[in-house]
Amino acid sequence: MLKVAYYPGCSGQGTSLEYDTSTRAVCKALDVELMDIPDWSCCGSSPAHTVNHVLSAALSARNLAQVEAMGMTKAATPCPSCLTNLRTASHKMDDPEFKDKVNALLDVPCKNSVDTQSVLQVLAENVDPELIKGKVVKPLTGIKIACYYGCIMNRPPEVMRFDHHENPMAMDNLMALLGAEVVPFPLKVECCGASYGIPRGDIVATLSGKLLDASRDVGADAIVTACPLCQMNLDLRQGQINDALRENFRIPVFYYTQLLGYALGIDRAELGFEKLCVDPRLALGRIKQPQQAM
Amino acid sequence: MSQLDDLKTAIKSRLGDLECVIGWEQGYDPLHATPLFIRSEADLDRLIIGPLAVHNLATYLTGWKGKKVGVVVKGCDSKSVIELLNEKLINRDDVVIFGLCCDGVVSQRKIRAALPADPGFVESVEIGADSLKVTVAGQAATLRLDDVRADKCRVCDTPDALVSDFLIGKAHTPAPAPSLKCQDEFEAKSDAEKFAFWQETMGRCIRCYACRNACPMCVCRDYCIATSRDPLWVSQENLPSENMMFQMIHVSHLAGRCTECGECERACPVDIPLMLLRRYMNKQVRDVFQHEAGKALDQTPPLLTFKVEEERINERGW
Amino acid sequence: MPAQDVRELRIVGFLCNWCSYGGADTAGVGRFTQPTDLRIIRVPCSGRIDPLFIVRALMNGADGVLVSGCHPRDCHYAEGNFYARRRLEMLKRFLPITGIDERRFEYTWVSASEGQRWQHVVTEFTRRIHELGPAPSFNPKSDVDWNALAVQASQGQGCPCHGSIQA
Amino acid sequence: MRIGVFICHCGSNIAGTVDCPSVAATALTYPDVVFSTDTMYACSEPGQDAIIQAVKDKNLDGVVVASCTPRMHEQTFRRAVERAGLNRYMFEMANIREHVSWIGKTKDLNTGKAAELVRMAVEKLRRNRPLMAKRFETTKRVLVIGGGVAGIQAALDCADGGQEVVLVEREQSIGGKMAKLDKTFPTVDCSSCVLGPKMVDIAQHPNITLYTCAEVESVGGYVGNFQVTVRRKATHVDWTKCTGCGLCVEKCPSRKHPDPFNENLCNAPSINIPFPQAIPKKAAINASSCLMLTKGKCGLCAKVCPVKCIDFEQKDELVNVDVGAIVVATGYDLFDWHKYPQYGEGRYKDVITSLQYERLLSASGPTGGHIKRPSDGKEPKNVVFIQCVGSRDKSVNRPYCSGFCCMYTAKQAILTKDHIPDSQSYVFYMDIRSPGKLYDEFVRRAMEEYGAQYVRGRVAMIYPKGDKLVVRGADTLAGTQVEVPADLVVLAVGAESAKGAVQLGEKLRVAPDQYGFFVESHPKLKPVETNTAGVFLAGACQGPKDIPASVGQGSAAASKVLGLLSKAMLESDPAVSRVNPARCVGCGKCIQTCPFGAIKEIQDRFGNPKAEVIDTVCQGCGICTVTCPQGAIQLEHFTDNQILAEVNALCPPKMFANFE
Amino acid sequence: MEKFITKENLNRLAAELAATCRVLAPVADCGTVTFRRFQPGMVMDLHSRMAAVSPKAATFPQTETLLVVKREIPEKKPEIIETLPEGKNVVIGCRPCGARGKLIFDPVYETDKIKDPYYLQRRKNTVFISLACDRPETTCFCHSVGSGPADPSGSDVLLTLVGEGYVARSVTPEGEEIMKMALFADAGDKGKEADAKNAKAREMMGEAHDYASAPAKLLARFDDMDFWLAQSAKCISCGACTYMCPTCYCFNITDDDLGLSSQRIRTWDNCMSHTFTLEGSGHNPRSTKAHRLKNRVGHKFSYYPDLHKGVIACCGCGRCIKQCPAGVDIRQIVNAAQEYAE
């Protein structure tokens, strides 16, 4: 059984609770053991690195040191923002001078021996697709999905080292494996506006609106995402976007783990569909029920 | 039948087609062997093998080029034969190789250190399975073979001849030591210590070129640049710098070709530990080119070829 | 420049005619000031540089030796620097066993257009050699030095191979 | 020996920071130096005359000049000492300008250094010996590799100059990239109208033998005497009979393979004549798609051919040609733009290359000269041109400027407007590079008369929206992001070295640079020569070039060839390796490492193997000299003893020490 | 003169002499024993084994600078400086065979016509304090070449180990001079003990081989290349034998020309080397090791005795046998020639 240290991130405790619970559920179902990092703390996202690189890296490094204390070298997080910070910290600490500066701030020095990946990468690279296919009980046949990766999951490529930085396919492939019809989504790595949601709602409305528009253009029934912030901008703010753009989008925005869990037949309570703002029932209703139970 | 008998039978079977077969016989005293050039069955009676048969007879092969000869080789010696073949310095068809599965040979230097008196006073020697019983100046001493084994045998991973027409003896499963303590200790010294060591040691060198002429891979011999005037690389003056220069020439010309047979060090009449240099160079060759001379047929010495991208050479950043 | 505050040290350069010698010319044409310690020997190709030239220079008391050729793939003779790279790398890696500081020898690639880079290489290498200071002479300079070594040897110091019969 | 030393002031260039008279005085203490002086300009006529006079007056047999770099004036002074009656190799130079006076600030240090460099030169000269060139005859025939415009020009010029020419072209027809172009800048005249007559001249010239569908298999020999083997690939059509009537092309039922002449925009029949003006106008079968050759049935072409020239059994043929000189004109290929993920990596059909666009514009192209976009055949209204795709971009290892893209993009923008008057062109560019006669004016016309919108900035992404492609880029002049909805996106892909250039370079022993373009002998002074004597470069194989430059180089290479072959006998450079057979042990290591195949094994009179240098092939690199452990093979003029003398001059070994 | 000197005092003697002379003494040298210039602080190693190299360097150094040329002044006349060896040398602790080596040199370097000033100066200024051997090695054959383990010829003082010291006997006035030093004590009746020891050592050597027929027999084999090919088969043609040999006196003269300064040096040469007889034309009359070994053996046991009253140019120390990397045994070769059945 594959074991990875698990860094849930702060969103997973609140706004994206359903991402956390569904992630845990699908990993369990796919024999990936997520070992919670004891006493994990903020990774430094989002504001720290805009203030001070060393302090920001120190926040991440503290958590990496915790992983090292667990005796593990591989960690996973569902949140691309956390991932960016953790990986950037590691990347910068490859410079011994920088590492010394960071470690000077820590009680337990970080050896920088941990490779942090997104849970998506763990599933895409370490779980046999045939295994997933074999475990699908409710194929997603019938639903058209646009996969949206967000702008930081794969970029900058020299830090993230996962999938293609302009045209990632990990989620597309996964959803196709589950039986969904994946529509080519040209804006899959565009920015949703991210944390401008608070100070500049207009920017989010423009950027996320464009994403919703593009997904409608390609005929998607739903958007699937792997990022709490993207999900929030597209889902929670869809009403605001409609108001601002005089549009009438009603496109549900899932976490990929939710649909994965759905296909694997995981208890819906763990998947948290009820937490979505845009009602997903219509979209889910497009999924053809299996002809008959085997 | 013993290994020696098997060997004699094998040699007898081919002696007719060959100019001679090169083996060993007892030398000027019971502790020393010397090369034997077997031309008739009568000569065969003098043939010996065993821990005293130290000489790498591959050294003689280039001298017989163009004639058909046989040669008896230990595992280590066979590497020299392979390297000579790879460099097309000898012709495989002209050499009949009697390969031995070797149990290791002695170091005369270590025997000298272990005996109660100088081996010059040796009276008799009995070779046991794992010991040598030596009587010297009236005193008998039993030396464990393990204690007086040549350094190369301690790290030997090729006790059995790698190339042969006849392979004689029981195959070994080699268990080489990972490294030699003396090498490790020397390498660990500071630059200043190493420098002083070679200054002093090269002061002892008399530049007799025994190291060069004993080397199976030194095929220039009479035409070595150390003794020529055109080109004139080395002064005839017996200075440490000139002596060291010659050693650098030797190492440099052997880079990627040295089979680590240890003949240079064994031949040195003033006991200069030349293998410190050779082993170190070989280590670098292994590290950079993953190449070990004489380990396989059809290898090209690494300095006679190149790769456009060298995986193990870091371009020097400036 | 600190390198010029002290007396000149003996630095020998071996440069290929087509790239690095031209690069040094380019640096000259650009009036890129450099320390004066280096003396350049021009050879047709880095493939002509026998590592033993470098050894000879070091044995003769050179304080530093700098080799420069065309960048890999840019050799005027197509392959010369590929051979040179292997030969020079082996020499550089070998020097430590002799007790000669390998930092006294460096090799690099400079093209005919890289005048500024050449200035940088010369300046840095000269700085390095000045930090290392004059090279020790392989031949003991006086009887006193010689005798100190001999006494040491007679007491069995220095040689790891003869301390005991164990290897 | 009697050596004269001349220390040049070079005006104040040297004398400003070197005490030249003092260097000259010091030089007088050097062994064998019998005369030493300083001189204002050694390279000037009076300077050279003074050297010649000194050689005669002082009975000198060797000369050292300390002045500028030998890369500048070594040849000058060699000729001077030759005029004085000495062998040109009895001369050495000390570089006290570029390596001393121009880089060192302190006069006394400079003076000391200059004196040592002179001493080095003296010690080397003491070991020089006169070297004599060998003379040999040449084959009066030229091989031109590549039938693009540069190769065509070189072939015609050589043939007109009276030399026999063999022109080898890889494709079925000569014409190269230029044959695919619709119009040429800045005159907007028809490309094939300009090129066509020249192609016909090739076919008709009595001195030219043309092999198309052919490649150079191997090259042996040396300047004046190359032996070349050409592989003529099987066309399955007997060209001695084929009249080019085209009946077979019409009838061929297999039209499944993409048409390379049309840049894969459409498919071509399996037996084809690539374009109407093809030279030679002969049909050839594509073996990979021909039904007869792949499946064994069809043979329609053979049935309809009026002269019965179809031969399904035809095999490749090897032709041996002896030539005295070779012109390489293998041109360039287009950068593979799929390396840029932001342009969709081929997911969007309406993102095409500039050369594909040329075919769309061309009346002989797949759309008959009507611009129709590949996805749906619609006429585009908004056309976006993106420049520098694979040029000036380190991230894809193409840091160089391809040179001609700015111009053809302007031309294509103009032609777009001509074809579709209600269209709008947008050009994303980095800088406009138009340094040629009438070039910048031409770009201005595209902007001003034809209304092309030039946006200075890079394109970050292209994404589909509806049936349009949205091109998002930066407008760095406005400091903003722009998005342009496009019907068609044309990528101005840069030039890269032709496929197979590196392999051909190995056969010719011409070194490619790191991008695969062949390296000329000197970037300024020997632009069409290579370091292999007798091999010359023309056109874009040396680096990206537009048509006028390629034609110019074709002529330049031809003039070099004509100059070379006009001599009855050639002389070889005597500074080559030489084997001392007494020292050679015949180990063959030198043969193994020689990059030029210039060393062969021979047997001495006792049957011992020995190495022998082929003087005319040896290029004088000296790899062999380092390889030879006995020092038996020595590179003349750079022998071990000569270089060691320089080392010893700089670092005198410690002597007079007797330790026993 | 007969005296006694203790082991400690012999070391002291070396140290005291080192203040005014160049003292060469055998010292342990990383597992081997070589002659080194003795310095206070060193310990001589007289007994563990015979020194690997012979003491001939004292009178015939491996490198001798004959003259030095300097070129410094612009007037350009190079200054030529002859460099005759200066100072006194003392060799302590060599064996009688080693000290005897120079007796082979003498008739070569000092004849009526030619006198070699470098050699003669060193010869005159060098004192040999030898130590008699008490037990022969397997390679020793001094008794067969007209000498023995306590042969005083060639030595200035001969020491014989008795108890914790040495009986010292002067052989020459120079030796007697040194023995006047206070470190030497009265020998008492230890002389007899010394005689007995020396006699026993001689007895242990057994019967001497008779080389009387060697000169003629070797000459008889001169054109028999098959004989020499067989004898030289295992020889690797290095120079260990000649450089170790106390009697090999051949030299080479080279000019090291460095332009501004030059030196003319005389260095040991080695007749086993290809270059020994290599002619300027490239021709080599001794082109193979068989030719060269023939010359080495022939010279020592035939040509030299023919020229110099039958004296064999070998002192029987056995170094060439013991130090030969291939175990070539010169005794066997001479025997083979002597016993050769025509």
Side-chain angles (χ1 to χ4, degrees), chain B:
Chain B
M1 277 212 303
S2 73
Q3 197 182 7
L4 182 59
D5 292 334
D6 287 343
L7 177 61
K8 286 182 176 173
T9 310
I11 293 177
K12 212 176 284 179
S13 73
R14 297 300 300 273
L15 196 52
D17 331 327
L18 302 172
E19 200 84 16
C20 70
V21 175
I22 314 171
W24 304 271
E25 65 176 321
Q26 191 195 304
Y28 58 83
D29 69 24
L31 200 50
H32 292 86
T34 185
L36 168 68
F37 294 74
I38 304 159
R39 291 181 168 85
S40 67
E41 287 194 18
D43 294 339
L44 210 47
D45 295 340
R46 280 147 53 204
L47 179 68
I48 63 162
I49 54 176
L52 297 179
V54 292
H55 314 74
N56 179 355
L57 304 173
T59 298
Y60 294 103
L61 288 179
T62 44
W64 291 86
K65 203 175 173 190
K67 295 192 174 124
K68 231 173 133 83
V69 293
V71 64
V72 187
V73 292
K74 308 184 285 289
C76 48
D77 310 339
S78 75
K79 289 195 288 180
S80 308
V81 176
I82 289 177
E83 190 61 23
L84 289 169
L85 288 169
N86 285 347
E87 296 181 27
K88 300 187 179 57
L89 295 166
I90 55 172
N91 197 337
R92 182 67 181 90
D93 298 336
D94 289 346
V95 189
V96 177
I97 303 165
F98 301 92
L100 297 179
C101 298
C102 166
D103 292 313
V105 294
V106 300
S107 154
Q108 291 288 357
R109 171 172 59 72
K110 287 182 191 169
I111 290 180
R112 195 167 68 205
L115 285 177
D118 190 77
F121 306 123
V122 68
E123 284 153 20
S124 69
V125 176
E126 277 175 53
I127 301 172
D130 48 13
S131 66
L132 280 182
K133 202 172 151 197
V134 183
T135 310
V136 55
Q139 298 163 267
T142 304
L143 311 179
R144 274 165 32 92
L145 272 175
D146 268 348
D147 291 339
V148 295
R149 216 177 279 296
D151 286 347
K152 66 172 173 181
C153 301
R154 292 182 194 279
V155 290
C156 174
D157 59 352
T158 55
D160 308 335
L162 295 176
V163 60
S164 61
D165 296 292
F166 299 86
L167 185 60
I168 291 151
K170 234 173 71 197
H172 294 79
T173 314
S179 65
L180 287 170
K181 193 165 138 262
C182 63
Q183 186 80 22
D184 296 344
E185 276 177 15
F186 186 75
E187 287 175 18
K189 286 174 184 289
S190 70
D191 273 356
E193 287 173 306
K194 286 184 273 193
F195 193 76
F197 172 76
W198 291 115
Q199 280 183 304
E200 195 285 320
T201 314
M202 288 301 140
R204 185 163 88 217
C205 169
I206 53 170
R207 229 189 305 157
C208 63
Y209 297 122
C211 48
R212 177 189 77 189
N213 287 28
C215 173
M217 299 317 302
C218 268
V219 293
C220 306
R221 299 273 163 85
D222 289 352
Y223 303 100
C224 177
I225 56 168
T227 47
S228 73
R229 301 223 175 155
D230 185 10
L232 177 58
W233 280 91
V234 188
S235 164
Q236 292 307 301
E237 186 170 7
N238 187 40
L239 279 174
S241 64
E242 302 308 294
N243 299 341
M244 188 65 179
M245 187 68 207
F246 168 66
Q247 289 305 330
M248 296 296 283
I249 290 173
H250 198 173
V251 171
S252 148
H253 287 175
L254 281 172
R257 305 172 60 235
C258 170
T259 57
E260 242 173 77
C261 69
E263 285 291 90
C264 49
E265 183 170 303
R266 185 188 68 75
C268 180
V270 291
D271 282 359
I272 297 176
L274 296 170
M275 288 303 287
L276 291 175
L277 301 173
R278 310 283 185 273
R279 282 190 217 105
Y280 191 72
M281 180 55 109
N282 283 358
K283 192 152 85 182
Q284 308 313 316
V285 170
R286 267 199 308 277
D287 283 357
V288 178
F289 306 118
Q290 283 95 53
H291 179 95
E292 286 185 71
K295 275 287 183 70
L297 283 163
D298 300 320
Q299 296 186 115
T300 305
L303 294 192
L304 297 185
T305 180
F306 63 83
K307 285 185 187 167
V308 173
E309 304 290 344
E310 300 279 6
E311 295 94 347
R312 305 224 171 187
I313 301 180
N314 290 328
E315 294 301 341
R316 314 233 152 243
W318 275 89

Side-chain angles (χ1 to χ4, degrees), chain E residues 277-313:
Chain E
T277 48
L278 181 63
E279 295 172 4
S281 65
H283 173 66
N284 193 339
R286 293 187 205 140
S287 55
T288 70
K289 64 182 179 183
H291 290 97
R292 307 199 277 265
L293 188 68
K294 175 179 79 173
N295 179 71
R296 194 173 94 83
V297 177
H299 180 257
K300 289 196 177 300
F301 284 85
S302 176
Y303 326 147
Y304 187 97
D306 278 354
L307 288 170
H308 300 290
K309 304 172 191 150
V311 174
I312 296 172

Side-chain angles (χ1 to χ4, degrees), chain D residues 608-622:
Chain D
N608 298 317
K610 300 279 172 187
E612 189 176 84
V613 175
I614 311 163
D615 288 24
T616 39
V617 182
C618 177
Q619 300 291 309
C621 64

Side-chain angles (χ1 to χ4, degrees), chain D residues 104-368:
Chain D
K105 291 267 173 276
T106 321
K107 192 159 187 173
D108 57 339
L109 288 181
N110 281 356
T111 305
K113 182 172 176 181
E116 283 200 31
L117 294 187
V118 172
R119 179 155 141 58
M120 227 169 76
V122 167
E123 288 299 337
K124 163 125 200 295
L125 178 60
R126 291 177 74 203
R127 286 151 183 89
N128 283 10
R129 60 184 205 90
L131 302 177
M132 308 293 175
K134 276 198 179 163
R135 293 165 65 80
F136 57 93
E137 285 184 1
T138 58
T139 307
K140 309 290 180 197
R141 190 177 295 117
V142 189
L143 172 72
V144 178
I145 308 171
V149 68
I152 288 172
Q153 187 66 39
L156 287 174
D157 286 358
C158 288
D160 287 344
Q163 298 297 335
E164 277 186 47
V165 175
V166 175
L167 176 58
V168 172
E169 166 58 49
R170 178 161 61 185
E171 303 300 332
Q172 192 179 339
S173 166
I174 57 169
K177 296 279 185 295
M178 188 176 170
K180 297 185 179 188
L181 303 183
D182 178 38
K183 302 273 174 13
T184 58
F185 59 81
T187 46
V188 201
D189 47 1
C190 164
S191 184
S192 58
C193 311
V194 186
L195 185 63
K198 281 192 181 287
M199 289 166 63
V200 174
D201 285 351
I202 292 279
Q204 294 179 345
H205 204 295
N207 280 354
I208 297 178
T209 309
L210 174 62
Y211 295 128
T212 63
C213 286
E215 287 187 72
V216 170
E217 182 84 0
S218 66
V219 180
Y222 49 90
V223 56
N225 294 285
F226 292 105
Q227 290 93 39
V228 182
T229 305
V230 176
R231 175 180 291 273
R232 300 190 66 187
K233 287 171 284 184
T235 58
H236 303 289
V237 174
D238 183 347
W239 281 6
T240 57
K241 295 187 198 152
C242 177
T243 60
C245 68
L247 210 54
C248 52
V249 180
E250 270 173 43
K251 298 289 179 196
C252 179
S254 161
R255 285 163 194 266
K256 289 219 176 96
H257 80 271
D259 182 355
F261 185 78
N262 280 314
E263 291 291 306
N264 304 340
L265 282 168
C266 58
N267 285 347
S270 287
I271 185 163
N272 197 19
I273 298 172
F275 56 103
Q277 303 89 338
I279 296 287
K281 195 169 182 189
K282 309 280 181 191
I285 292 179
N286 180 316
S288 64
S289 66
C290 168
L291 292 173
M292 190 67 191
L293 289 170
T294 53
K295 300 204 174 101
K297 44 191 159 193
C298 182
L300 206 55
C301 49
K303 283 179 204 125
V304 301
C305 178
V307 294
K308 299 295 166 212
C309 64
I310 309 294
D311 174 7
F312 292 113
E313 303 299 313
Q314 198 183 59
K315 297 271 179 301
D316 287 7
E317 184 192 352
L318 294 177
V319 184
N320 294 314
V321 203
D322 288 349
V323 297
I326 299 174
V327 176
V328 189
T330 47
Y332 68 99
D333 267 315
L334 294 183
F335 172 78
D336 177 11
W337 61 275
H338 293 89
K339 285 177 191 154
Y340 283 110
Q342 59 265 44
Y343 303 145
E345 297 175 306
R347 289 194 300 278
Y348 315 130
K349 278 189 168 175
D350 294 328
V351 178
I352 62 172
T353 69
S354 47
L355 200 54
Q356 287 176 322
Y357 195 55
E358 252 350 290
R359 295 312 300 152
L360 291 182
L361 290 168
S362 169
S364 68
T367 55

Side-chain angles (χ1 to χ4, degrees), chain E residues 24-314:
Chain E
L24 284 184
V27 292
D29 199 347
C30 283
T32 186
V33 174
T34 57
F35 281 97
R36 289 274 184 175
R37 182 160 180 187
F38 188 87
Q39 295 298 312
M42 283 185 180
V43 181
M44 289 193 285
D45 184 354
L46 296 180
H47 297 286
S48 71
R49 58 185 55 94
M50 186 163 73
V53 292
S54 84
K56 78 170 164 186
T59 46
F60 187 62
Q62 183 158 8
T63 308
E64 176 123 59
T65 305
L66 303 181
L67 55 87
V68 167
V69 182
K70 286 189 172 161
R71 194 191 294 265
E72 277 161 359
I73 319 107
E75 293 88 86
K76 313 230 352 154
K77 196 141 187 222
E79 186 191 357
I80 298 176
I81 310 147
E82 283 189 46
T83 50
L84 272 177
E86 286 162 7
K88 298 247 179 221
N89 305 315
V90 180
V91 179
I92 301 182
C94 65
R95 303 300 170 107
C97 50
R100 268 188 84 238
K102 62 180 184 294
L103 301 183
I104 307 298
F105 279 62
D106 291 344
V108 179
Y109 283 84
E110 186 174 24
T111 68
D112 294 342
K113 287 183 195 153
I114 299 161
K115 295 190 176 14
D116 184 297
Y118 299 91
Y119 174 76
L120 291 178
Q121 186 124 331
R122 283 187 196 274
R123 174 81 165 85
K124 191 178 80 199
N125 289 333
T126 307
V127 172
F128 283 83
I129 303 176
S130 312
L131 170 67
C133 298
D134 52 8
R135 179 185 282 274
E137 296 192 25
T138 54
T139 46
C140 287
F141 62 109
C142 53
H143 60 314
S144 302
V145 293
S147 178
D151 185 350
S153 60
S155 303
D156 297 280
V157 175
L158 184 70
L159 305 174
T160 306
L161 178 69
V162 173
E164 283 309 295
Y166 307 92
V167 169
R169 285 172 174 152
S170 65
V171 185
T172 63
E174 289 82 3
E176 209 166 307
E177 199 58 37
I178 285 187
M179 281 174 59
K180 286 178 188 160
M181 289 172 73
L183 292 166
F184 289 88
D186 185 51
D189 58 354
K190 292 197 176 76
K192 273 188 198 150
E193 225 176 305
D195 287 339
K197 268 199 98 167
N198 288 342
K200 184 166 171 245
R202 174 62 190 83
E203 194 185 316
M204 287 171 84
M205 294 199 77
E207 203 177 323
H209 180 83
D210 184 2
Y211 285 116
S213 70
K217 288 285 192 179
L218 280 166
L219 213 51
R221 298 269 61 74
F222 191 86
D223 288 323
D224 184 356
M225 276 324 283
D226 285 344
F227 176 83
W228 291 108
L229 276 172
Q231 294 301 331
S232 67
K234 63 185 166 187
C235 170
I236 58 172
S237 202
C238 71
C241 47
T242 61
Y243 285 6
M244 297 294 162
C245 178
T247 70
C248 273
Y249 54 70
C250 291
F251 61 78
N252 187 15
I253 292 182
T254 357
D255 285 352
D256 278 350
D257 172 18
L258 295 170
L260 295 183
S261 56
S262 313
Q263 65 177 353
R264 174 163 296 171
I265 54 171
R266 173 160 81 183
T267 48
W268 291 350
D269 208 346
N270 158 30
C271 59
M272 296 309 299
S273 153
H274 169 79
T275 49
F276 188 74
T277 48
L278 181 63
E279 295 172 4
S281 65
H283 173 66
N284 193 339
R286 293 187 205 140
S287 55
T288 70
K289 64 182 179 183
H291 290 97
R292 307 199 277 265
L293 188 68
K294 175 179 79 173
N295 179 71
R296 194 173 94 83
V297 177
H299 180 257
K300 289 196 177 300
F301 284 85
S302 176
Y303 326 147
Y304 187 97
D306 278 354
L307 288 170
H308 300 290
K309 304 172 191 150
V311 174
I312 296 172
C314 168

